[in-house]
Amino acid sequence: MILEDILAHKKKQVEEEKRMIPIKKLMEACDLQPIRDFKKALCTDTMAIIGEVKKASPSKGIIVETFNHRQIASIYEEIPVDALSVLTETQFFKGCDEYLTEVKALVSKPVLRKDFIIDEFQLYQAKAIGADAVLLISSILKGKLKDFYVLTKNLGLACVTEVHTREEAEEALEAGCDIIGINNRNLKTFEVDLKTTEDIRRYIPKGIVTISESGIKASDDIKYLSSLDIDAVLIGETFMRYMNEGRSIIEFINFSKGLHR
């Protein structure tokens, strides 16, 4: 299964990185990093937009053949997205830590590190490379989510806790998580269904920032999600495929911003 392969590779990668980079060195680097307020960026009167920097995915393969993360960052800086998400997973999404560091230097908006975090070492690493927020995936941190969340907050980072089921949402709420991302993509099958957001949204109380992730392709999708009182959407593949058609992206964003929650 794809998720099992990703986690097996990630475990080997992290163990190698821990041998190469002492945790003390990461902590020193953390102290030098300014933090932008990711949560505040999502708390707007209209639908907040998180634009993703994403070269590939396990289900789609290479999404952008002529991938230029600096150029993408510069475009995102000029259009009305509220925050950015940068894939740093190397094997299956073809990302890297350097993408995030360089994107952060080019934009004034907060940046989320999107990766498969399985070790607390990666939280220090995230701050050291310039992330303002991290993604914690509930399904791969069972029994450990609260500890990871507390450390993330202690480091001064925002945390998007990703869920796919009601049970995962309830665990995230019990852990005190204040930003919940509902992933419309099943990480076991990689199938996408926007109705996942509707199924889970009803169990998340007001006051918790709620993001819908994956499979958002058209204005009708935005209209549907807006009707569910979603605070923000994370859009990757759709923006990546139309990055050279700036007018289309801006029209899409303006439509989203025109829907008051």
Side-chain angles (χ1 to χ4, degrees):
M1 295 178 66
I2 296 175
L3 181 59
E4 292 176 354
D5 292 341
I6 292 173
L7 296 179
H9 180 269
K10 180 58 62 176
K11 183 177 180 180
K12 291 179 182 178
Q13 178 186 340
V14 171
E15 290 304 317
E16 179 63 24
E17 289 172 345
K18 289 168 74 173
R19 286 193 290 270
M20 293 174 60
I21 308 171
I23 188 70
K24 184 178 179 180
K25 186 174 181 180
L26 279 183
M27 289 179 176
E28 291 171 353
C30 286
D31 292 337
L32 303 175
Q33 291 293 347
I35 299 295
R36 298 169 189 164
D37 195 332
F38 184 85
K39 182 180 179 181
K40 183 179 179 180
L42 305 186
C43 295
T44 66
D45 292 333
T46 58
M47 181 85 76
I49 308 288
I50 305 168
E52 194 152 76
V53 180
K54 180 179 184 180
K55 182 177 182 178
S57 75
S59 58
K60 301 292 184 179
I62 299 296
I63 297 169
V64 184
E65 291 289 349
T66 55
F67 183 79
N68 185 327
H69 62 286
R70 297 183 189 89
Q71 182 181 29
I72 293 167
S74 297
I75 293 171
Y76 276 143
E77 178 67 1
E78 296 301 319
I79 64 178
V81 297
D82 300 281
L84 275 65
S85 166
V86 180
L87 266 297
T88 58
E89 197 284 324
T90 58
Q91 182 71 16
F92 298 87
F93 291 85
K94 309 302 179 187
C96 66
D97 292 347
E98 288 76 15
Y99 287 166
L100 190 146
T101 300
E102 293 175 10
V103 166
K104 175 76 176 279
L106 290 168
V107 301
S108 59
K109 303 166 186 182
V111 179
L112 167 74
R113 183 193 193 188
K114 196 172 181 187
D115 208 321
F116 293 80
I117 291 180
I118 58 172
D119 191 298
E120 291 182 350
F121 173 87
Q122 293 169 277
L123 299 176
Y124 292 98
Q125 187 183 54
K127 186 171 183 181
I129 64 174
D132 303 300
V134 297
L135 182 76
L136 296 183
I137 302 174
S138 180
S139 64
I140 65 175
L141 290 173
K142 289 188 180 297
K144 300 184 289 184
L145 179 61
K146 185 171 184 177
D147 290 340
F148 274 65
Y149 176 73
V150 169
L151 177 56
T152 300
K153 301 299 281 186
N154 286 343
L155 286 170
L157 301 175
C159 172
V160 176
T161 305
E162 182 176 289
V163 304
H164 184 74
T165 66
R166 174 184 176 179
E167 291 73 24
E168 290 173 3
E170 289 174 345
E171 181 184 6
L173 292 170
E174 288 174 6
C177 301
D178 58 349
I179 308 175
I180 293 183
I182 302 172
N183 195 348
N184 300 305
R185 186 184 304 279
N186 186 316
L187 289 181
K188 293 181 179 178
T189 65
F190 272 71
E191 294 177 352
V192 176
D193 184 355
L194 286 185
K195 194 173 182 299
T196 304
T197 292
E198 180 177 354
D199 292 341
I200 298 174
R201 178 67 184 93
R202 69 191 70 181
Y203 301 110
I204 301 173
K206 289 188 177 296
I208 303 295
V209 176
T210 308
I211 306 167
S212 183
E213 311 169 9
S214 300
I216 302 161
K217 299 178 179 180
S219 56
D220 282 348
D221 297 333
I222 294 291
K223 190 181 297 184
Y224 168 61
L225 294 170
S226 179
S227 74
L228 304 176
D229 197 27
I230 293 298
D231 298 293
V233 290
L234 188 151
I235 304 177
E237 182 183 340
T238 298
F239 280 175
M240 289 297 92
R241 293 195 185 281
Y242 295 99
M243 190 54 63
N244 293 326
E245 300 177 23
R247 182 176 295 179
S248 296
I249 291 180
I250 291 174
E251 288 176 355
F252 185 88
I253 293 172
N254 287 341
F255 175 83
S256 306
K257 295 292 184 182
L259 296 174
H260 287 262
R261 296 187 292 106

Short mmCIF file of all heavy atoms in Angstrom, two decimals, residues 115-177:
data_model
loop_
_atom_site.label_atom_id
_atom_site.label_comp_id
_atom_site.label_asym_id
_atom_site.label_seq_id
_atom_site.Cartn_x
_atom_site.Cartn_y
_atom_site.Cartn_z
N ASP A 115 4.33 17.30 5.22
CA ASP A 115 5.17 16.10 5.15
C ASP A 115 4.53 15.04 6.04
O ASP A 115 3.46 15.27 6.64
CB ASP A 115 6.59 16.43 5.63
CG ASP A 115 7.65 15.55 4.99
OD1 ASP A 115 7.39 14.33 4.83
OD2 ASP A 115 8.74 16.05 4.67
N PHE A 116 5.17 13.91 6.13
CA PHE A 116 4.69 12.82 6.98
C PHE A 116 5.55 12.82 8.24
O PHE A 116 6.64 12.25 8.26
CB PHE A 116 4.77 11.49 6.22
CG PHE A 116 3.82 11.42 5.06
CD1 PHE A 116 4.14 12.04 3.85
CD2 PHE A 116 2.59 10.78 5.18
CE1 PHE A 116 3.26 12.00 2.78
CE2 PHE A 116 1.70 10.74 4.11
CZ PHE A 116 2.04 11.36 2.91
N ILE A 117 5.06 13.46 9.28
CA ILE A 117 5.83 13.63 10.51
C ILE A 117 5.56 12.45 11.43
O ILE A 117 4.42 12.22 11.85
CB ILE A 117 5.49 14.97 11.18
CG1 ILE A 117 6.02 16.11 10.30
CG2 ILE A 117 6.07 15.04 12.58
CD1 ILE A 117 5.77 17.49 10.82
N ILE A 118 6.62 11.71 11.73
CA ILE A 118 6.51 10.52 12.55
C ILE A 118 7.45 10.55 13.75
O ILE A 118 7.43 9.66 14.59
CB ILE A 118 6.82 9.24 11.72
CG1 ILE A 118 8.22 9.33 11.10
CG2 ILE A 118 5.76 9.04 10.64
CD1 ILE A 118 8.68 8.06 10.42
N ASP A 119 8.31 11.58 13.81
CA ASP A 119 9.34 11.67 14.85
C ASP A 119 9.41 13.12 15.32
O ASP A 119 9.36 14.04 14.50
CB ASP A 119 10.69 11.21 14.27
CG ASP A 119 11.75 11.01 15.33
OD1 ASP A 119 12.10 12.01 16.01
OD2 ASP A 119 12.25 9.88 15.48
N GLU A 120 9.55 13.32 16.62
CA GLU A 120 9.61 14.69 17.15
C GLU A 120 10.79 15.47 16.59
O GLU A 120 10.76 16.70 16.52
CB GLU A 120 9.68 14.65 18.68
CG GLU A 120 8.37 14.16 19.31
CD GLU A 120 8.39 14.17 20.82
OE1 GLU A 120 9.49 14.38 21.40
OE2 GLU A 120 7.33 13.99 21.45
N PHE A 121 11.83 14.77 16.17
CA PHE A 121 12.98 15.40 15.51
C PHE A 121 12.51 16.28 14.35
O PHE A 121 13.04 17.38 14.11
CB PHE A 121 13.92 14.31 15.00
CG PHE A 121 15.07 14.79 14.16
CD1 PHE A 121 16.25 15.20 14.76
CD2 PHE A 121 14.98 14.81 12.77
CE1 PHE A 121 17.32 15.63 13.98
CE2 PHE A 121 16.03 15.24 11.99
CZ PHE A 121 17.20 15.66 12.60
N GLN A 122 11.49 15.82 13.61
CA GLN A 122 11.01 16.55 12.43
C GLN A 122 10.35 17.87 12.79
O GLN A 122 10.28 18.78 11.96
CB GLN A 122 10.03 15.68 11.64
CG GLN A 122 10.64 14.46 11.00
CD GLN A 122 9.57 13.52 10.48
OE1 GLN A 122 9.02 12.71 11.24
NE2 GLN A 122 9.24 13.64 9.21
N LEU A 123 9.86 18.00 14.02
CA LEU A 123 9.26 19.26 14.45
C LEU A 123 10.33 20.33 14.64
O LEU A 123 10.17 21.47 14.22
CB LEU A 123 8.45 19.05 15.73
CG LEU A 123 7.29 18.06 15.62
CD1 LEU A 123 6.63 17.86 16.98
CD2 LEU A 123 6.27 18.53 14.59
N TYR A 124 11.43 19.95 15.27
CA TYR A 124 12.56 20.87 15.38
C TYR A 124 13.10 21.21 13.99
O TYR A 124 13.43 22.36 13.68
CB TYR A 124 13.67 20.25 16.23
CG TYR A 124 13.31 20.09 17.68
CD1 TYR A 124 12.87 18.86 18.17
CD2 TYR A 124 13.41 21.16 18.58
CE1 TYR A 124 12.53 18.69 19.52
CE2 TYR A 124 13.07 21.00 19.93
CZ TYR A 124 12.63 19.77 20.38
OH TYR A 124 12.28 19.62 21.70
N GLN A 125 13.17 20.20 13.15
CA GLN A 125 13.64 20.37 11.78
C GLN A 125 12.75 21.35 11.03
O GLN A 125 13.24 22.22 10.30
CB GLN A 125 13.65 19.01 11.09
CG GLN A 125 14.27 18.96 9.71
CD GLN A 125 14.13 17.57 9.13
OE1 GLN A 125 13.04 17.01 9.05
NE2 GLN A 125 15.26 16.97 8.75
N ALA A 126 11.45 21.22 11.20
CA ALA A 126 10.50 22.10 10.51
C ALA A 126 10.74 23.56 10.87
O ALA A 126 10.76 24.44 10.00
CB ALA A 126 9.07 21.69 10.85
N LYS A 127 10.90 23.83 12.15
CA LYS A 127 11.13 25.22 12.56
C LYS A 127 12.49 25.70 12.05
O LYS A 127 12.62 26.85 11.61
CB LYS A 127 11.06 25.35 14.08
CG LYS A 127 11.16 26.82 14.53
CD LYS A 127 10.87 27.01 15.99
CE LYS A 127 10.92 28.48 16.36
NZ LYS A 127 10.68 28.71 17.81
N ALA A 128 13.49 24.83 12.09
CA ALA A 128 14.84 25.21 11.66
C ALA A 128 14.89 25.59 10.19
O ALA A 128 15.69 26.44 9.79
CB ALA A 128 15.82 24.07 11.95
N ILE A 129 14.05 24.96 9.35
CA ILE A 129 14.08 25.27 7.91
C ILE A 129 13.14 26.43 7.56
O ILE A 129 13.07 26.83 6.40
CB ILE A 129 13.74 24.04 7.05
CG1 ILE A 129 12.31 23.56 7.29
CG2 ILE A 129 14.76 22.92 7.29
CD1 ILE A 129 11.88 22.43 6.37
N GLY A 130 12.42 26.95 8.56
CA GLY A 130 11.63 28.15 8.33
C GLY A 130 10.13 27.98 8.32
O GLY A 130 9.40 28.93 8.02
N ALA A 131 9.61 26.79 8.64
CA ALA A 131 8.16 26.58 8.65
C ALA A 131 7.50 27.41 9.75
O ALA A 131 8.06 27.59 10.84
CB ALA A 131 7.84 25.11 8.84
N ASP A 132 6.31 27.89 9.45
CA ASP A 132 5.48 28.58 10.45
C ASP A 132 4.44 27.64 11.04
O ASP A 132 3.88 27.92 12.10
CB ASP A 132 4.76 29.76 9.81
CG ASP A 132 5.71 30.74 9.17
OD1 ASP A 132 6.56 31.29 9.91
OD2 ASP A 132 5.63 30.95 7.95
N ALA A 133 4.19 26.54 10.33
CA ALA A 133 3.20 25.55 10.75
C ALA A 133 3.61 24.19 10.22
O ALA A 133 4.38 24.09 9.26
CB ALA A 133 1.81 25.92 10.22
N VAL A 134 3.09 23.15 10.86
CA VAL A 134 3.36 21.78 10.40
C VAL A 134 2.05 21.03 10.27
O VAL A 134 1.03 21.40 10.86
CB VAL A 134 4.29 21.01 11.36
CG1 VAL A 134 5.65 21.67 11.45
CG2 VAL A 134 3.65 20.88 12.74
N LEU A 135 2.09 19.97 9.50
CA LEU A 135 0.95 19.07 9.34
C LEU A 135 1.19 17.84 10.21
O LEU A 135 2.24 17.19 10.10
CB LEU A 135 0.81 18.64 7.89
CG LEU A 135 -0.38 17.73 7.57
CD1 LEU A 135 -1.67 18.55 7.54
CD2 LEU A 135 -0.18 17.02 6.23
N LEU A 136 0.23 17.53 11.08
CA LEU A 136 0.26 16.29 11.84
C LEU A 136 -0.90 15.42 11.36
O LEU A 136 -2.05 15.87 11.38
CB LEU A 136 0.13 16.55 13.34
CG LEU A 136 1.25 17.34 14.01
CD1 LEU A 136 0.98 17.45 15.51
CD2 LEU A 136 2.62 16.70 13.76
N ILE A 137 -0.60 14.22 10.91
CA ILE A 137 -1.63 13.34 10.37
C ILE A 137 -2.10 12.38 11.45
O ILE A 137 -1.33 11.53 11.93
CB ILE A 137 -1.08 12.56 9.14
CG1 ILE A 137 -0.60 13.56 8.08
CG2 ILE A 137 -2.16 11.63 8.57
CD1 ILE A 137 0.09 12.91 6.89
N SER A 138 -3.35 12.52 11.84
CA SER A 138 -3.89 11.77 12.96
C SER A 138 -3.73 10.26 12.79
O SER A 138 -3.37 9.56 13.74
CB SER A 138 -5.36 12.12 13.15
OG SER A 138 -5.93 11.41 14.22
N SER A 139 -3.96 9.77 11.59
CA SER A 139 -3.97 8.32 11.37
C SER A 139 -2.60 7.68 11.56
O SER A 139 -2.52 6.47 11.81
CB SER A 139 -4.50 7.99 9.97
OG SER A 139 -3.64 8.51 8.97
N ILE A 140 -1.52 8.46 11.46
CA ILE A 140 -0.19 7.87 11.62
C ILE A 140 0.44 8.23 12.97
O ILE A 140 1.58 7.86 13.24
CB ILE A 140 0.76 8.24 10.47
CG1 ILE A 140 1.06 9.74 10.45
CG2 ILE A 140 0.18 7.80 9.14
CD1 ILE A 140 2.09 10.14 9.40
N LEU A 141 -0.33 8.94 13.81
CA LEU A 141 0.18 9.32 15.13
C LEU A 141 -0.75 8.86 16.25
O LEU A 141 -0.84 9.50 17.29
CB LEU A 141 0.37 10.85 15.21
CG LEU A 141 1.49 11.44 14.36
CD1 LEU A 141 1.45 12.97 14.41
CD2 LEU A 141 2.86 10.94 14.81
N LYS A 142 -1.40 7.76 16.03
CA LYS A 142 -2.34 7.26 17.03
C LYS A 142 -1.64 7.04 18.37
O LYS A 142 -0.60 6.38 18.44
CB LYS A 142 -2.98 5.96 16.55
CG LYS A 142 -3.96 6.16 15.39
CD LYS A 142 -4.71 4.90 15.09
CE LYS A 142 -5.69 5.10 13.94
NZ LYS A 142 -6.73 6.08 14.26
N GLY A 143 -2.22 7.60 19.44
CA GLY A 143 -1.64 7.47 20.77
C GLY A 143 -0.52 8.47 21.04
O GLY A 143 -0.09 8.61 22.19
N LYS A 144 -0.05 9.17 20.00
CA LYS A 144 1.06 10.11 20.16
C LYS A 144 0.69 11.53 19.74
O LYS A 144 1.50 12.44 19.87
CB LYS A 144 2.27 9.64 19.34
CG LYS A 144 2.81 8.28 19.73
CD LYS A 144 4.06 7.92 18.95
CE LYS A 144 3.76 7.62 17.50
NZ LYS A 144 4.96 7.17 16.75
N LEU A 145 -0.52 11.69 19.24
CA LEU A 145 -0.90 12.97 18.65
C LEU A 145 -0.77 14.12 19.65
O LEU A 145 -0.22 15.17 19.32
CB LEU A 145 -2.33 12.90 18.12
CG LEU A 145 -2.89 14.18 17.49
CD1 LEU A 145 -2.05 14.61 16.30
CD2 LEU A 145 -4.35 13.99 17.09
N LYS A 146 -1.27 13.93 20.86
CA LYS A 146 -1.23 15.02 21.83
C LYS A 146 0.18 15.44 22.16
O LYS A 146 0.48 16.64 22.24
CB LYS A 146 -1.97 14.62 23.12
CG LYS A 146 -2.06 15.77 24.11
CD LYS A 146 -2.97 15.44 25.29
CE LYS A 146 -3.11 16.64 26.21
NZ LYS A 146 -4.04 16.38 27.32
N ASP A 147 1.10 14.48 22.34
CA ASP A 147 2.49 14.81 22.64
C ASP A 147 3.11 15.62 21.50
O ASP A 147 3.84 16.60 21.73
CB ASP A 147 3.30 13.53 22.87
CG ASP A 147 2.92 12.84 24.17
OD1 ASP A 147 2.33 13.51 25.05
OD2 ASP A 147 3.20 11.64 24.30
N PHE A 148 2.84 15.21 20.27
CA PHE A 148 3.39 15.92 19.11
C PHE A 148 2.78 17.33 19.02
O PHE A 148 3.49 18.29 18.70
CB PHE A 148 3.11 15.14 17.83
CG PHE A 148 4.14 14.09 17.53
CD1 PHE A 148 4.31 12.99 18.37
CD2 PHE A 148 4.95 14.18 16.40
CE1 PHE A 148 5.25 12.02 18.10
CE2 PHE A 148 5.89 13.20 16.12
CZ PHE A 148 6.05 12.12 16.97
N TYR A 149 1.49 17.42 19.31
CA TYR A 149 0.82 18.72 19.25
C TYR A 149 1.39 19.67 20.30
O TYR A 149 1.67 20.84 19.99
CB TYR A 149 -0.68 18.53 19.47
CG TYR A 149 -1.44 19.84 19.52
CD1 TYR A 149 -1.66 20.59 18.37
CD2 TYR A 149 -1.93 20.33 20.74
CE1 TYR A 149 -2.35 21.79 18.42
CE2 TYR A 149 -2.62 21.53 20.79
CZ TYR A 149 -2.82 22.26 19.63
OH TYR A 149 -3.49 23.45 19.69
N VAL A 150 1.56 19.19 21.50
CA VAL A 150 2.09 20.04 22.59
C VAL A 150 3.49 20.53 22.25
O VAL A 150 3.82 21.72 22.43
CB VAL A 150 2.09 19.28 23.93
CG1 VAL A 150 2.87 20.05 25.00
CG2 VAL A 150 0.65 19.04 24.40
N LEU A 151 4.35 19.66 21.72
CA LEU A 151 5.70 20.08 21.35
C LEU A 151 5.65 21.10 20.22
O LEU A 151 6.40 22.09 20.24
CB LEU A 151 6.54 18.87 20.93
CG LEU A 151 7.97 19.19 20.43
CD1 LEU A 151 8.75 19.98 21.48
CD2 LEU A 151 8.71 17.90 20.07
N THR A 152 4.78 20.87 19.26
CA THR A 152 4.65 21.83 18.15
C THR A 152 4.31 23.22 18.68
O THR A 152 4.93 24.22 18.28
CB THR A 152 3.54 21.37 17.18
OG1 THR A 152 3.88 20.09 16.64
CG2 THR A 152 3.39 22.36 16.03
N LYS A 153 3.34 23.30 19.57
CA LYS A 153 2.94 24.58 20.13
C LYS A 153 4.05 25.19 20.98
O LYS A 153 4.24 26.41 20.97
CB LYS A 153 1.66 24.42 20.96
CG LYS A 153 0.47 23.88 20.19
CD LYS A 153 0.05 24.79 19.06
CE LYS A 153 -0.75 25.96 19.54
NZ LYS A 153 -1.29 26.78 18.41
N ASN A 154 4.77 24.35 21.71
CA ASN A 154 5.88 24.85 22.53
C ASN A 154 6.99 25.45 21.68
O ASN A 154 7.72 26.34 22.14
CB ASN A 154 6.45 23.73 23.41
CG ASN A 154 5.53 23.38 24.57
OD1 ASN A 154 4.63 24.15 24.93
ND2 ASN A 154 5.73 22.21 25.16
N LEU A 155 7.12 24.96 20.46
CA LEU A 155 8.12 25.50 19.53
C LEU A 155 7.63 26.79 18.88
O LEU A 155 8.37 27.43 18.13
CB LEU A 155 8.44 24.47 18.45
CG LEU A 155 9.30 23.28 18.89
CD1 LEU A 155 9.35 22.22 17.79
CD2 LEU A 155 10.71 23.74 19.25
N GLY A 156 6.39 27.16 19.15
CA GLY A 156 5.84 28.38 18.59
C GLY A 156 5.23 28.22 17.21
O GLY A 156 4.87 29.21 16.56
N LEU A 157 5.08 26.97 16.77
CA LEU A 157 4.53 26.70 15.45
C LEU A 157 3.03 26.44 15.53
O LEU A 157 2.52 25.95 16.54
CB LEU A 157 5.21 25.46 14.84
CG LEU A 157 6.72 25.51 14.64
CD1 LEU A 157 7.22 24.16 14.14
CD2 LEU A 157 7.10 26.62 13.67
N ALA A 158 2.34 26.77 14.46
CA ALA A 158 0.94 26.37 14.34
C ALA A 158 0.90 24.92 13.89
O ALA A 158 1.87 24.39 13.34
CB ALA A 158 0.22 27.26 13.33
N CYS A 159 -0.23 24.28 14.12
CA CYS A 159 -0.36 22.86 13.79
C CYS A 159 -1.68 22.60 13.09
O CYS A 159 -2.74 22.92 13.63
CB CYS A 159 -0.27 22.04 15.08
SG CYS A 159 -0.64 20.30 14.85
N VAL A 160 -1.61 22.06 11.88
CA VAL A 160 -2.80 21.59 11.19
C VAL A 160 -2.89 20.09 11.43
O VAL A 160 -2.01 19.33 11.00
CB VAL A 160 -2.74 21.88 9.68
CG1 VAL A 160 -3.97 21.29 8.98
CG2 VAL A 160 -2.64 23.38 9.42
N THR A 161 -3.91 19.66 12.14
CA THR A 161 -4.10 18.25 12.42
C THR A 161 -5.04 17.67 11.38
O THR A 161 -6.19 18.06 11.29
CB THR A 161 -4.67 18.03 13.83
OG1 THR A 161 -3.82 18.68 14.78
CG2 THR A 161 -4.74 16.54 14.15
N GLU A 162 -4.51 16.74 10.59
CA GLU A 162 -5.29 16.19 9.48
C GLU A 162 -6.08 14.96 9.91
O GLU A 162 -5.53 14.04 10.52
CB GLU A 162 -4.35 15.82 8.33
CG GLU A 162 -5.05 15.28 7.11
CD GLU A 162 -4.10 15.03 5.97
OE1 GLU A 162 -3.60 16.01 5.38
OE2 GLU A 162 -3.82 13.85 5.68
N VAL A 163 -7.37 14.97 9.56
CA VAL A 163 -8.25 13.84 9.91
C VAL A 163 -9.01 13.40 8.67
O VAL A 163 -9.19 14.16 7.71
CB VAL A 163 -9.24 14.23 11.02
CG1 VAL A 163 -8.50 14.74 12.25
CG2 VAL A 163 -10.24 15.27 10.54
N HIS A 164 -9.50 12.15 8.72
CA HIS A 164 -10.28 11.61 7.60
C HIS A 164 -11.55 10.92 8.08
O HIS A 164 -12.42 10.60 7.28
CB HIS A 164 -9.43 10.63 6.79
CG HIS A 164 -10.12 10.10 5.57
ND1 HIS A 164 -10.30 10.85 4.43
CD2 HIS A 164 -10.69 8.89 5.30
CE1 HIS A 164 -10.95 10.15 3.53
NE2 HIS A 164 -11.19 8.95 4.03
N THR A 165 -11.66 10.72 9.40
CA THR A 165 -12.83 10.05 9.96
C THR A 165 -13.31 10.81 11.20
O THR A 165 -12.57 11.63 11.77
CB THR A 165 -12.51 8.61 10.39
OG1 THR A 165 -11.57 8.65 11.48
CG2 THR A 165 -11.92 7.80 9.24
N ARG A 166 -14.53 10.52 11.63
CA ARG A 166 -15.07 11.13 12.83
C ARG A 166 -14.20 10.79 14.04
O ARG A 166 -13.94 11.65 14.89
CB ARG A 166 -16.50 10.65 13.06
CG ARG A 166 -17.11 11.11 14.37
CD ARG A 166 -18.49 10.52 14.59
NE ARG A 166 -19.03 10.90 15.90
CZ ARG A 166 -20.23 10.54 16.34
NH1 ARG A 166 -21.02 9.79 15.58
NH2 ARG A 166 -20.64 10.91 17.53
N GLU A 167 -13.75 9.54 14.12
CA GLU A 167 -12.94 9.11 15.26
C GLU A 167 -11.63 9.90 15.33
O GLU A 167 -11.19 10.29 16.42
CB GLU A 167 -12.65 7.61 15.16
CG GLU A 167 -13.87 6.71 15.36
CD GLU A 167 -14.84 6.72 14.18
OE1 GLU A 167 -14.40 7.05 13.05
OE2 GLU A 167 -16.03 6.41 14.40
N GLU A 168 -11.02 10.13 14.18
CA GLU A 168 -9.77 10.90 14.16
C GLU A 168 -10.04 12.34 14.56
O GLU A 168 -9.22 12.96 15.27
CB GLU A 168 -9.14 10.83 12.77
CG GLU A 168 -8.57 9.46 12.43
CD GLU A 168 -8.11 9.35 11.00
OE1 GLU A 168 -8.15 10.36 10.26
OE2 GLU A 168 -7.68 8.25 10.61
N ALA A 169 -11.16 12.89 14.13
CA ALA A 169 -11.52 14.26 14.51
C ALA A 169 -11.72 14.37 16.03
O ALA A 169 -11.26 15.33 16.67
CB ALA A 169 -12.79 14.70 13.78
N GLU A 170 -12.38 13.38 16.61
CA GLU A 170 -12.62 13.39 18.06
C GLU A 170 -11.30 13.28 18.82
O GLU A 170 -11.12 13.95 19.85
CB GLU A 170 -13.57 12.26 18.42
CG GLU A 170 -15.00 12.50 17.94
CD GLU A 170 -15.93 11.32 18.16
OE1 GLU A 170 -15.42 10.21 18.42
OE2 GLU A 170 -17.16 11.51 18.07
N GLU A 171 -10.38 12.47 18.32
CA GLU A 171 -9.06 12.35 18.98
C GLU A 171 -8.32 13.69 18.91
O GLU A 171 -7.68 14.11 19.89
CB GLU A 171 -8.23 11.26 18.30
CG GLU A 171 -6.86 11.09 18.95
CD GLU A 171 -5.98 10.07 18.24
OE1 GLU A 171 -6.38 9.57 17.16
OE2 GLU A 171 -4.88 9.78 18.75
N ALA A 172 -8.41 14.36 17.77
CA ALA A 172 -7.74 15.65 17.61
C ALA A 172 -8.32 16.68 18.57
O ALA A 172 -7.59 17.46 19.18
CB ALA A 172 -7.87 16.13 16.17
N LEU A 173 -9.62 16.69 18.71
CA LEU A 173 -10.27 17.63 19.62
C LEU A 173 -9.90 17.34 21.07
O LEU A 173 -9.65 18.25 21.87
CB LEU A 173 -11.78 17.58 19.44
CG LEU A 173 -12.31 18.11 18.10
CD1 LEU A 173 -13.78 17.78 17.93
CD2 LEU A 173 -12.07 19.61 17.98
N GLU A 174 -9.83 16.07 21.43
CA GLU A 174 -9.43 15.68 22.79
C GLU A 174 -8.00 16.10 23.09
O GLU A 174 -7.65 16.41 24.23
CB GLU A 174 -9.59 14.18 22.96
CG GLU A 174 -11.05 13.72 23.03
CD GLU A 174 -11.19 12.21 23.05
OE1 GLU A 174 -10.15 11.52 23.12
OE2 GLU A 174 -12.33 11.72 22.98
N ALA A 175 -7.17 16.12 22.04
CA ALA A 175 -5.76 16.53 22.21
C ALA A 175 -5.62 18.04 22.30
O ALA A 175 -4.53 18.54 22.60
CB ALA A 175 -4.93 15.99 21.05
N GLY A 176 -6.71 18.77 22.05
CA GLY A 176 -6.67 20.23 22.14
C GLY A 176 -6.31 20.92 20.84
O GLY A 176 -6.06 22.14 20.83
N CYS A 177 -6.30 20.20 19.74
CA CYS A 177 -5.91 20.77 18.45
C CYS A 177 -6.87 21.88 18.03
O CYS A 177 -8.09 21.71 18.13
CB CYS A 177 -5.85 19.68 17.38
SG CYS A 177 -4.69 18.35 17.78
#
